[in-house]
């Protein structure tokens, strides 16, 4: 049973920083792309940042220059460093990963979500 467990959310003032972590556990042969999504109340879930297995990154325009995604393959963990936070960054943040659970089997997994609240 593969699980993604997130941590690091919380309440921060505008201009502050937070670092989210998401660790994958279980029977894992390998992890392809990993990413962070967020969903604000009344809005659709949106992709914030993604990182491929080779380390290439991409970001939503709204977070470019402020957020940095990284991964530690030895720990099966993806991180999201969030700086210069704004009230509009307030949302539940979810991690996502494409995980190989066998020689040919692969599945997309989601974390349970962690709340990030930025006060003005």
């Amino acid at each position: 049973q593969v699980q993604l467990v997130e941590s690091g959310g919380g309440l921060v003032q505008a201009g502050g920083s937070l670092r989210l972590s998401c660790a994958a556990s279980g029977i894992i042969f390998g992890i392809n792309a990993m990413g962070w999504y967020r969903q604000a109340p009344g809005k659709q879930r949106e992709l914030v940042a993604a990182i491929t297995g080779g380390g290439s990154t991409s970001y939503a325009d709204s977070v470019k220059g402020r957020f940095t995604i990284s991964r530690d393959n030895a720990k099966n963990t993806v991180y999201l460093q969030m700086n210069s936070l704004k009230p509009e960054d307030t949302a539940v943040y979810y991690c996502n990963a494409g995980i190989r659970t066998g020689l040919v089997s692969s599945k997309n997994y989601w974390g349970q979500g962690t709340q990030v609240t930025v006060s003005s």
Side-chain angles (χ1 to χ4, degrees), residues 4-114:
L4 295 180
V5 179
E6 298 140 345
S7 61
L11 173 64
V12 65
Q13 287 189 333
S17 298
L18 283 174
R19 188 191 195 209
L20 305 183
S21 301
C22 173
S25 63
I27 299 176
I28 298 171
F29 277 55
I31 303 178
N32 301 321
M34 306 181 83
W36 287 95
Y37 290 71
R38 67 186 180 187
Q39 187 166 19
K43 295 188 177 181
Q44 288 189 329
R45 190 173 297 190
E46 63 173 353
L47 177 64
V48 175
I51 184 167
T52 67
S56 297
T57 60
S58 60
Y59 298 91
D61 288 342
S62 59
V63 306
K64 281 180 182 176
R66 300 188 297 123
F67 291 9
T68 302
I69 189 170
S70 61
R71 62 191 287 171
D72 184 333
N73 292 329
K75 297 181 179 179
N76 292 332
T77 299
V78 63
Y79 305 97
L80 186 67
Q81 178 66 44
M82 305 185 293
N83 298 329
S84 302
L85 282 161
K86 304 175 181 180
E88 51 264 44
D89 294 317
T90 295
V92 178
Y93 284 70
Y94 299 89
C95 75
N96 174 272
I99 296 178
R100 301 191 301 278
T101 55
L103 292 177
V104 296
S105 57
S106 179
K107 184 179 176 181
N108 206 33
Y109 290 87
W110 289 91
Q112 80 284 359
T114 185

